[in-house]
């Protein structure tokens, strides 16, 4: 038995000579502005893993404001991120889907033989897509009696959820109000109460401390422009944003656009670009509201004549500025 073994048997442990080293000082606390600037420069997939570092980072990375700034910076660095994306879904019940996903049109065109990558979202209830803005998809999830509003970032997988509200959304819309730098979700809610059906208009501003609040009721009686019964052509409003206005728009009775101003939180309306003859009205079977070249546009399908016309509004809100863009 050598000396080391003898000492060990007696409980004696030799002291090892250590080389003195300077202790590494802890990292200083960085200002929040600097942390935000660093995180904004990281790719979306890296941010997903960083959300688990601490609660403050998770709240920061998950905030709609950070998401918007990160998307803007990412698009400047990589223009391919601005390419068109399509929402695909598995049909559930009517306009509600049990799952849906996002895929890139550019990836399909450039690599048609390769499997297309789809970012899927699957919830526990039926989902109803409301709209999209800045790469974020907004939707309702409801179980038939209650619903939540969701804001989904397909790049990071983050979900921002609103508080629960009773009822079902009949009409709805989503958009970005650049005047207050916030994303807003509007819903005309139908609720079953002891006295019957009750309708109310609610708005939710996505944020960590926000709640649903009531706003002025939707103008089902839409004034002097038409006296016909209320019949919306699109149940999900179309968002239009410019330096002057931020609005959500619905076509009513194929004659009028009713809009909600996200900044002022008021309603307005203007006429669509056709004449008021009964013949013209009944020949026009379908209308589709959309945004083309950053302008509010409408696509009209004339079933009797078997052709389409696309109109574009050159000055938003001015019914005299409707211009016929395409006829085919």
């Amino acid at each position: 038995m050598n000396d080391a073994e003898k000492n060990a048997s007696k409980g004696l442990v030799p002291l090892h000579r250590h080389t003195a080293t300077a202790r590494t000082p802890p990292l200083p606390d960085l200002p929040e502005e600097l942390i935000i600037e660093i995180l904004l420069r990281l790719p979306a997939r890296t941010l997903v893993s960083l959300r688990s570092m601490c609660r403050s980072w998770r709240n920061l990375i998950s905030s709609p404001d950070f998401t918007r700034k990160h998307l803007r910076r990412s698009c400047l660095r990589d223009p391919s991120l601005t390419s068109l994306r399509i929402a695909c879904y598995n049909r559930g019940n009517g306009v509600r889907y049990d799952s849906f996903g996002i895929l890139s049109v550019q990836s399909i065109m450039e690599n048609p033989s390769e499997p297309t990558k789809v970012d899927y979202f699957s919830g526990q209830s039926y989902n109803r897509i409301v709209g999209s803005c800045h790469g974020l998809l907004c939707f309702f999830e409801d179980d038939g009696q209650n619903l939540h509003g969701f804001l989904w970032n397909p790049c990071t997988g983050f979900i921002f959820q609103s508080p629960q509200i009773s009822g079902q959304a009949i009409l709805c819309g989503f958009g970005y109000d650049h005047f207050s730098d916030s994303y807003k979700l509007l819903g005309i809610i139908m609720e079953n109460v002891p006295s019957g059906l009750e309708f109310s208009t609610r708005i939710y501003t996505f944020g960590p401390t926000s709640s649903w609040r009531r706003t002025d009721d939707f103008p089902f009686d839409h004034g002097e422009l038409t006296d016909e019964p209320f019949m919306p052509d699109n149940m999900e409003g179309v968002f239009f944003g410019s330096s002057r206005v931020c609005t959500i728009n619905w076509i009513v009775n194929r004659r009028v656009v009713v809009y909600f101003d996200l900044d002022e939180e008021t309603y307005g309306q203007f006429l669509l670009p056709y004449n008021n003859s009964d013949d013209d009205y009944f020949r026009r079977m379908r209308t589709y509201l959309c945004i083309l070249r950053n302008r509010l546009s409408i696509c009209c399908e004339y079933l009797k004549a078997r052709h389409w016309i696309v109109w574009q509004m050159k000055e938003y809100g001015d019914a005299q500025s409707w211009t016929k863009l395409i006829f085919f």
Side-chain angles (χ1 to χ4, degrees), residues 109-125:
M109 301 299 290
E110 293 181 349
N111 303 294
S113 61
E114 297 292 327
T116 302
K117 181 181 181 298
V118 180
D119 295 308
Y120 276 106
F121 175 85
S122 297
Q124 298 178 348
S125 304

Side-chain angles (χ1 to χ4, degrees), residues 173-185:
F174 166 74
Y176 172 67
D177 175 12
H178 69 79
F179 296 101
S180 62
D181 193 20
S182 58
Y183 295 93
K184 295 181 179 181
L185 172 61

Side-chain angles (χ1 to χ4, degrees), residues 56-310:
S56 61
W57 280 26
R58 176 179 176 83
N59 292 338
L60 171 62
I61 295 172
S62 303
S63 68
D65 179 62
F66 180 87
T67 301
R68 177 182 56 81
K69 291 179 180 178
H70 184 268
L71 178 66
R72 181 181 300 170
R73 185 182 290 252
S74 299
C75 290
L76 290 175
R77 185 171 58 247
D78 182 5
S80 66
L81 293 175
T82 61
S83 63
L84 183 65
R85 282 172 165 75
I86 295 176
C88 59
Y89 56 86
N90 295 322
R91 182 167 295 280
N93 178 14
V95 297
R96 301 187 301 173
Y97 320 128
D98 51 17
S99 68
F100 56 86
I102 303 294
L103 58 92
S104 169
V105 174
Q106 182 177 350
S107 65
I108 299 175
M109 301 299 290
E110 293 181 349
N111 303 294
S113 61
E114 297 292 327
T116 302
K117 181 181 181 298
V118 180
D119 295 308
Y120 276 106
F121 175 85
S122 297
Q124 298 178 348
S125 304
Y126 284 115
N127 305 303
R128 176 182 179 181
I129 297 175
V130 180
S132 63
C133 186
H134 299 153
L136 304 176
L137 191 67
C138 180
F139 58 93
F140 276 121
E141 184 179 82
D142 76 85
D143 58 10
Q145 295 181 333
N146 305 292
L147 54 83
H148 295 274
F150 284 84
L151 199 55
W152 178 41
N153 184 340
C155 292
T156 63
F158 170 72
I159 295 289
F160 195 100
Q161 179 179 335
S162 78
Q164 179 176 284
I165 185 173
S166 299
Q168 291 183 291
I170 307 304
L171 291 178
C172 53
F174 166 74
Y176 172 67
D177 175 12
H178 69 79
F179 296 101
S180 62
D181 193 20
S182 58
Y183 295 93
K184 295 181 179 181
L185 172 61
L186 183 77
I188 289 79
I189 307 299
M190 180 183 71
E191 186 177 3
N192 238 321
V193 296
S195 58
L197 293 178
E198 182 178 89
F199 294 86
S200 63
T201 304
R202 307 292 184 93
I203 190 168
Y204 179 77
T205 301
F206 283 96
T209 60
S210 296
S211 60
W212 288 97
R213 53 189 172 84
R214 295 194 67 146
T215 187
D216 291 343
D217 287 337
F218 192 89
F220 290 102
D221 176 15
H222 33 84
E224 69 281 357
L225 297 185
T226 174
D227 56 1
E228 297 166 350
F230 181 88
M231 293 179 60
D233 285 27
N234 55 308
M235 307 303 287
E236 292 79 32
V238 174
F239 170 66
F240 173 81
S242 70
S243 60
R244 187 169 57 90
V245 294
C246 304
T247 63
I248 301 173
N249 302 264
W250 297 265
I251 295 179
V252 176
N253 296 345
R254 302 177 186 171
R255 295 184 183 273
V256 177
V257 171
V258 176
Y259 65 84
F260 179 76
D261 188 306
L262 288 171
D263 177 39
E264 301 290 339
E265 299 191 359
T266 56
Y267 299 94
Q269 55 190 324
F270 49 81
L271 286 169
L272 289 176
Y274 354 95
N275 61 58
N276 292 322
S277 68
D278 291 339
D279 181 62
D280 182 71
Y281 179 77
F282 287 110
R283 284 191 298 112
R284 187 174 60 255
M285 299 301 294
R286 294 185 181 91
T287 55
Y288 305 91
L289 198 61
C290 60
I291 304 297
L292 293 175
R293 300 176 185 173
N294 298 320
R295 289 191 171 98
L296 189 70
S297 305
I298 179 173
C299 184
C300 311
E301 179 186 10
Y302 289 80
L303 190 59
K304 182 178 179 180
R306 296 183 180 277
H307 68 258
W308 294 73
I309 297 178
V310 177

